[in-house]
Amino acid sequence: MRTLVEFTTSPGAICGRSEYPACGRGAGFTTCLAIEIATDGTLVFANAGQLAPYRNGIEIASEAGLPLGIISNMVYPESTLHLVKGDRLTLMTDGIPEAASDHQLFGFSRTEELSQLSPGQIAEAAQRFGQTDDITVLSIDFCSDAC
């Protein structure tokens, strides 16, 4: 990825070119959410099997591609939207909705309800529920150049 970003900042192209090394390496795969945020608030992202981002507690509708390493020459569509001052973008791995307790998943509804909390609070809620997978949560509070 470090090499790819020297040649392109297109999230779709980064996902598409990242899958070549992953294909043919056994049964595994990797999920990826590549994003670019411009200083004017333009957000462009491509999703390779990852959870969609949340904006101010609402899941951003987008087309998700297959995880990296499943199919070679996959084209990853890009989604674009404009962030405004005060928007919170929350990104997280599937370890949140897939936390499980007594054969019940934490689920997408609970995940969305918590998506405006701090990353630590979101991770702690999933851990208390019953963490079964790795958890990563990142929140970005957008502030224009004037901040």
Side-chain angles (χ1 to χ4, degrees), residues 25 38 63 126:
R25 292 192 177 205
E63 186 177 344

Side-chain angles (χ1 to χ4, degrees):
M1 293 231 178
R2 288 182 181 154
T3 301
L4 286 173
V5 298
E6 291 183 25
F7 300 100
T8 183
T9 59
S10 163
I14 290 169
C15 286
R17 296 296 298 165
S18 295
E19 83 171 72
Y20 294 130
C23 280
R25 292 192 177 205
F29 61 87
T30 301
T31 61
C32 179
L33 180 67
I35 66 172
E36 177 184 27
I37 304 173
T39 57
D40 70 354
T42 302
L43 168 70
V44 180
F45 68 96
N47 190 341
Q50 193 56 266
L51 292 181
Y54 291 87
R55 177 186 186 183
N56 301 325
I58 299 170
E59 184 178 354
I60 299 171
S62 64
E63 186 177 344
L66 292 174
L68 306 176
I70 302 280
I71 297 174
S72 61
N73 299 319
M74 178 78 184
V75 175
Y76 291 91
E78 294 181 341
S79 299
T80 303
L81 63 101
H82 189 79
L83 299 173
V84 296
K85 184 177 180 177
D87 275 351
R88 171 171 279 186
L89 187 67
T90 303
L91 315 169
M92 60 187 99
T93 59
D94 60 1
I96 302 293
E98 291 177 1
S101 177
D102 295 324
H103 305 290
Q104 180 183 20
L105 292 176
F106 191 75
F108 292 103
S109 295
R110 285 189 188 111
T111 300
E112 186 167 38
E113 288 173 16
L114 298 178
S115 65
Q116 290 192 80
L117 298 177
S118 74
Q121 291 170 313
I122 295 169
E124 287 172 16
Q127 289 168 339
R128 280 194 310 272
F129 191 83
Q131 180 180 357
T132 58
D133 195 1
D134 61 289
I135 291 176
T136 301
V137 183
L138 172 69
S139 288
I140 301 167
D141 294 322
F142 182 71
C143 184
S144 67
D145 287 338
C147 295

